[in-house]
């Protein structure tokens, strides 16, 4: 079967760094996405990885290891506005290129 | 104005009623999707459409139907709503991902919160 696992909730301090992990078991891997979703709002795209390695975009970075079925999202210099859920999703050729979604990690930022 | 617009944003209805959620987009994307989101669960795909003549069932299509009236419009219907269809529904669009840097990421509407009593 196909499955995405990520922690349900994490807490971090303003100004610090936090790493949110995502592990997946899918066949036909065709890319991994991270989205941010504030409570009651729509998910918005953060990052995309299809090859192994680190993709950096400002304060946010995302890493992928296809052999390990593993990704992480790294958030630096945390701000209160980063309090949100972070959704990991994998695109699979075996599901007609549709996304398989994790349940999301709720990140709580404390002052 | 939002690129992907959903109506209504909130709806309370009773069991057995027919409900339609509408989605329109100005992004010019061929691909459109309907998802539902429930607390503690990942987004689940209901239906998707790659173009006006192409409709595909997602993982949870039972109890739902869709219509792709035009490239820009994709509506979701619940023929006879039941309480376990209470959820937050999202419409999304995407372009085709390619090797030239287009990721094919999804662009979401603001969501339609449906409550079935």
């Amino acid at each position: 079967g196909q499955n995405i696992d990520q922690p349900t909730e994490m807490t971090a301090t303003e100004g610090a760094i936090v790493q949110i992990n995502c592990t997946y078991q899918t066949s036909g891997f065709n890319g991994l996405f991270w989205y941010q979703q504030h409570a009651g709002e729509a998910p918005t795209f953060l990052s995309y990885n299809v090859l192994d390695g680190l993709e950096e975009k400002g304060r946010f970075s995302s890493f992928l290891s296809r052999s390990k079925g593993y990704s992480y999202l790294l958030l630096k210099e945390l701000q209160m506005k980063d309090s949100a859920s972070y959704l990991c999703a994998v695109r699979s050729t075996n599901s007609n290129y549709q996304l398989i979604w994790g349940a999301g990690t709720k990140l709580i930022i404390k002052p | 104005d939002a690129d992907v617009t959903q109506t209504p944003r909130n709806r309370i209805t009773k069991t057995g009623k027919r409900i339609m959620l509408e989605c329109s987009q100005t992004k010019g994307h061929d691909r459109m999707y309907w998802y539902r989101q429930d607390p503690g669960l990942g987004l689940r795909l209901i239906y998707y459409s790659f173009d006006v003549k192409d409709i595909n069932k997602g993982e949870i299509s039972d109890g739902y139907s869709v219509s792709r009236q035009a490239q820009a419009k994709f509506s979701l219907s619940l023929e006879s709503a039941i309480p376990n269809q209470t959820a937050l529904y999202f419409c999304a669009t995407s372009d085709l991902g390619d090797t030239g840097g287009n990721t094919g990421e999804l662009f979401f509407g603001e969501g339609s919160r449906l409550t079935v009593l």
Side-chain angles (χ1 to χ4, degrees):
Chain A
Q2 305 192 91
N3 193 47
I4 309 277
D5 289 312
Q6 49 182 134
T8 302
E9 187 173 297
M10 299 181 70
T11 302
T13 303
E14 189 177 16
I17 299 173
V18 70
Q19 176 176 311
I20 302 173
N21 296 325
C22 171
T23 58
Y24 63 90
Q25 299 87 39
T26 62
S27 52
F29 178 84
N30 190 254
L32 186 144
F33 295 81
W34 284 96
Y35 285 78
Q36 182 190 59
Q37 185 178 25
H38 286 100
E41 298 183 7
T44 56
F45 171 74
L46 283 179
S47 69
Y48 172 72
N49 296 71
V50 66
L51 300 175
D52 291 350
L54 189 68
E55 294 284 341
E56 297 186 80
K57 191 184 292 186
R59 294 189 298 115
F60 293 3
S61 303
S62 57
F63 172 82
L64 174 68
S65 169
R66 288 172 295 170
S67 63
K68 295 182 179 178
Y70 169 68
S71 174
Y72 67 73
L73 181 69
L74 191 71
L75 292 75
K76 301 177 183 177
E77 301 170 12
L78 286 170
Q79 301 175 11
M80 297 303 292
K81 67 179 182 179
D82 297 329
S83 292
S85 288
Y86 292 85
L87 314 180
C88 175
V90 172
R91 185 166 58 200
S92 168
T93 58
N94 286 9
S95 59
N96 201 17
Y97 293 88
Q98 297 314 301
L99 297 182
I100 303 155
W101 294 83
T105 298
K106 182 178 181 180
L107 178 62
I108 299 168
I109 309 297
K110 296 187 174 180
Chain B
D1 290 341
D3 293 324
V4 184
T5 303
Q6 294 182 227
T7 56
R9 296 290 312 281
N10 288 282
R11 182 72 184 269
I12 300 173
T13 191
K14 294 182 179 179
T15 297
K17 294 292 187 180
R18 183 177 187 273
I19 296 297
M20 179 180 287
L21 306 180
E22 298 185 339
C23 178
S24 62
Q25 53 116 346
T26 58
K27 298 196 72 66
H29 289 161
D30 286 328
R31 299 182 169 206
M32 297 187 74
Y33 311 80
W34 276 104
Y35 285 94
R36 68 176 278 176
Q37 188 173 43
D38 299 274
L41 299 178
L43 287 162
R44 291 185 291 169
L45 184 62
I46 306 171
Y47 272 95
Y48 61 104
S49 170
F50 284 172
D51 64 41
V52 175
K53 297 181 181 179
D54 177 81
I55 302 289
N56 303 280
K57 292 183 177 181
E59 63 178 299
I60 56 162
S61 59
D62 286 350
Y64 301 94
S65 63
V66 291
S67 174
R68 185 81 184 266
Q69 302 94 323
Q71 187 211 33
K73 296 184 182 298
F74 192 38
S75 60
L76 176 72
S77 293
L78 290 68
E79 296 301 326
S80 179
I82 56 177
N84 77 0
Q85 291 178 314
T86 293
L88 182 58
Y89 290 84
F90 285 106
C91 174
T93 74
S94 76
D95 207 341
L96 172 65
D98 57 39
T99 57
N102 183 353
T103 67
E105 80 254 30
L106 297 177
F107 295 84
F108 286 86
E110 294 172 311
S112 297
R113 185 168 297 280
L114 177 65
T115 302
V116 184
L117 302 176

